[in-house]
Amino acid sequence: MKYFVADTHFFDKRMIGNQRFAPRPYFMVQEMDDNIIKNWNDEITDNDVVYHLGDIAVCHIKPQKKAYEYVFNVLRQLNGHLVLIKGNHDSRGLFKYLANHNYLLNGRNKFEFHDVGVLIKMNHAQYYMTHYPIMLGKVSQIINLHGHIHNYSVPLKENINVGVDSPERDYLGYDKPFGSPYSENDIFKMVKQKSIDFSKRQ
């Protein structure tokens, strides 16, 4: 099964609290990180593939290599194979470190890396996955899954924010555990409900 998520921001103390940009119901960063890991693993198995659309972590521990080690140790705790698309807080150094420490999980690499984006076909449509939202213009059957903008939504029905703190979680109609990646069915529902929402506005 394929899953999708963005903007976990492990270790990022700026994400704590109920601020408008990225409201997260936590008082301590360790609480946030532990909850994301738990909710992730409650949903994901090691047979699943999770597309992480950037901003894995913001870790300011020195030296830099130690920060990479901290991030690696968190990612090792997450079930599934991780397809990592580079976000603005993900350095090439981190990706290089993860590549050098990659390992096999059920016969395939734990990590796969992409600098810009990935295009897949699913449910008779194409899904272009990027960190930053992109404006595709008038297109047929192409959806942009993205992160980066946290508690904001692109005012286009073809753009779906899959960040952990995306306001488009409301389209699911149920209480998605914080940090739990979105399933294929979640994505289909978000796409459908956002399209319905926009048709009512016209």
Side-chain angles (χ1 to χ4, degrees), residues 3-5 8 35-44 50 162-164 169 172 174 176-183 186:
Y3 289 83
F4 310 85
V5 74
T8 44
N35 198 238
I36 291 174
I37 292 168
K38 177 189 179 301
N39 291 337
W40 179 298
N41 289 337
D42 284 348
E43 177 83 13
I44 306 301
V50 181
V162 297
V164 296
R169 297 163 76 219
L172 294 174
Y174 74 97
K176 182 80 174 174
F178 188 85
S180 176
Y182 303 96
S183 68
D186 287 338

Side-chain angles (χ1 to χ4, degrees), residues 154-191:
V154 174
L156 295 170
K157 63 182 177 63
E158 294 82 12
N159 293 70
I160 302 294
N161 182 353
V162 297
V164 296
D165 38 25
S166 166
E168 293 175 1
R169 297 163 76 219
D170 292 345
Y171 287 130
L172 294 174
Y174 74 97
D175 189 16
K176 182 80 174 174
F178 188 85
S180 176
Y182 303 96
S183 68
E184 295 176 35
N185 286 335
D186 287 338
I187 297 299
F188 301 156
K189 187 165 188 179
M190 292 164 84
V191 169

Side-chain angles (χ1 to χ4, degrees), residues 63-192:
Q64 192 70 64
K65 185 177 179 182
K66 181 63 70 173
Y68 297 158
E69 182 182 333
Y70 270 58
V71 176
F72 173 65
N73 286 333
V74 165
L75 295 183
R76 288 179 65 184
Q77 296 178 58
L78 300 176
N79 292 342
H81 300 273
L82 307 184
V83 180
L84 304 175
I85 296 167
K86 188 175 177 295
N88 55 296
H89 288 291
D90 304 318
S91 69
R92 290 175 186 257
L94 172 62
F95 275 24
K96 184 176 180 180
Y97 182 94
L98 295 175
N100 288 337
H101 292 79
N102 214 344
Y103 58 94
L104 292 179
L105 179 66
N106 293 342
R108 61 183 292 185
N109 284 334
K110 172 72 173 180
F111 306 117
E112 180 183 322
F113 308 95
H114 297 273
D115 277 349
V116 179
V118 176
L119 181 67
I120 64 171
K121 290 184 179 180
M122 192 169 64
N123 195 33
H124 307 294
Q126 297 183 74
Y127 290 80
Y128 189 39
M129 294 171 287
T130 57
H131 177 63
Y132 303 99
I134 58 175
M135 305 302 149
L136 294 169
K138 288 192 175 183
V139 293
S140 177
Q141 302 300 314
I142 300 180
I143 304 296
N144 175 217
L145 303 183
H146 65 85
H148 186 62
I149 57 176
H150 293 269
N151 193 38
Y152 291 87
S153 177
V154 174
L156 295 170
K157 63 182 177 63
E158 294 82 12
N159 293 70
I160 302 294
N161 182 353
V162 297
V164 296
D165 38 25
S166 166
E168 293 175 1
R169 297 163 76 219
D170 292 345
Y171 287 130
L172 294 174
Y174 74 97
D175 189 16
K176 182 80 174 174
F178 188 85
S180 176
Y182 303 96
S183 68
E184 295 176 35
N185 286 335
D186 287 338
I187 297 299
F188 301 156
K189 187 165 188 179
M190 292 164 84
V191 169
K192 180 179 179 181

